[in-house]
Amino acid sequence: MRSKIVAGNWKMNKNVAESKALAEGLVSELNGVSLDNTRVIVSPTFVNLTTVLAATEGSAVEVAAQNMHQEASGAYTGEISADMLTSVGIKSVILGHSERREYFGEDEALLAKKTDAALANGLEVIYCFGEVKEEREANIQEKVVAEQISGALFHLDAAAWSNIVLAYEPVWAIGTGLTASAEQAQEMHAFIRGFVADKYGAEVAENVSILYGGSCKPSNAEEIFSKPDVDGGLIGGASLVAADFAAVIKAI
Ligand SMILES: O=C[C@H](O)COP(=O)(O)O
């Protein structure tokens, strides 16, 4: 059975003291809350990973990285490898976020390499994708999303998919206050699950968690999460306040 997951992407926010306080605040908010089959993940910047790991130790809150380099080591100034992440206790990494694609030129060919490196090191991959506004207006969002998924992930064998989480994030909804309607999210998530099923079969498709991201917050999370193919969320802005993020988690 696939997991429900609510993941907070802190992006380039929070210094070390603020990260510690936010992590501790979240642990406190979740104290006594029954999470059942729901995983909670937070994703601080690289420099704050170990602080947040320590602050969440012994709690249900997991910690993921926001990115990693595809090579194992070498002359790549400013970069972080999969082995470096696992060596400090990280078990998951976000790859392919639209901000990485837009500002750092990441494409499917590169993301396939990053995915391979992550999986080879035992990391779970939270793979992000989604169409931009113009693509939605042109009604080619399914084609765009299919290419983003197949280009980076369809070289994997079926077994590898037990370590893949998909995160559909329509770019027009990220940080804009515009949210896909629950129906739009469900429609796309059902398409994605069908697309994975066509390639790998129903079992892989039924077991992969598909998260929604884009202006998801306490006021709309419950409706979005109520849809059958929406298995949780990748939350940006609302994950930066412990009470708000806890409210989104409780909505699932
Ligand atoms: O990774 C998270 C997404 O970019 C969503 O961000 P947002 O909730 O601030 O729109």
Side-chain angles (χ1 to χ4, degrees):
M1 189 172 77
R2 58 184 185 259
S3 303
K4 303 261 186 201
I5 300 173
V6 183
N9 178 8
W10 294 359
K11 307 190 180 183
M12 197 175 74
N13 293 293
K14 307 288 178 186
N15 64 23
V16 64
E18 293 163 345
S19 295
K20 183 170 182 284
L22 178 55
E24 289 172 346
L26 179 63
V27 170
S28 167
E29 290 279 348
L30 295 179
N31 190 22
V33 174
S34 170
L35 292 170
D36 296 325
N37 182 38
T38 301
R39 293 171 59 198
V40 175
I41 303 174
V42 293
S43 189
T45 59
F46 287 132
V47 292
N48 294 321
L49 286 172
T50 53
T51 297
V52 173
L53 277 165
T56 55
E57 195 177 355
S59 79
V61 179
E62 304 172 40
V63 184
Q66 296 176 16
N67 179 36
M68 50 162 264
H69 197 268
Q70 66 276 15
E71 297 297 336
S73 63
Y76 301 100
T77 302
E79 294 292 336
I80 303 280
S81 71
D83 173 64
M84 292 169 189
L85 296 177
T86 60
S87 73
V88 297
I90 294 300
K91 297 189 171 65
S92 307
V93 60
I94 297 171
L95 294 179
H97 193 280
S98 64
E99 289 145 19
R100 300 288 322 167
R101 293 174 189 263
E102 182 178 358
Y103 303 131
F104 302 96
E106 297 197 1
D107 61 10
E108 282 74 47
L110 175 67
L111 293 165
K113 290 181 187 167
K114 290 194 178 201
T115 299
D116 289 345
L119 295 177
N121 281 273
L123 286 164
E124 173 186 66
V125 171
I126 301 170
Y127 179 71
C128 305
F129 53 88
E131 80 283 0
V132 299
K133 185 162 162 275
E134 293 73 23
E135 293 164 337
R136 169 68 63 166
E137 286 169 351
N139 200 28
I140 57 168
Q141 64 273 13
E142 291 185 352
K143 176 176 177 288
V144 169
V145 161
E147 286 172 0
Q148 290 173 326
I149 295 172
S150 61
L153 302 181
F154 274 13
H155 66 289
L156 300 174
D157 61 24
W161 278 74
S162 59
N163 281 316
I164 299 289
V165 173
L166 299 177
Y168 169 58
E169 300 203 310
V171 179
W172 48 271
I174 295 176
T176 58
L178 290 174
T179 316
S181 67
E183 289 69 30
Q184 284 174 318
Q186 168 57 26
E187 187 178 33
M188 180 58 91
H189 284 221
F191 166 76
I192 293 163
R193 203 175 301 285
F195 185 62
V196 174
D198 286 347
K199 169 76 176 173
Y200 289 100
E203 193 179 339
V204 168
E206 284 304 315
N207 283 322
V208 68
S209 299
I210 308 176
L211 315 185
Y212 169 79
S215 297
C216 189
K217 47 189 181 280
S219 59
N220 60 22
E222 191 168 349
E223 194 189 355
I224 295 170
F225 293 165
S226 71
K227 296 298 177 187
D229 286 296
V230 179
D231 304 312
L234 182 55
I235 317 300
S239 73
L240 296 174
V241 176
D244 289 351
F245 192 47
V248 172
I249 294 162
K250 288 172 193 169
I252 209 164

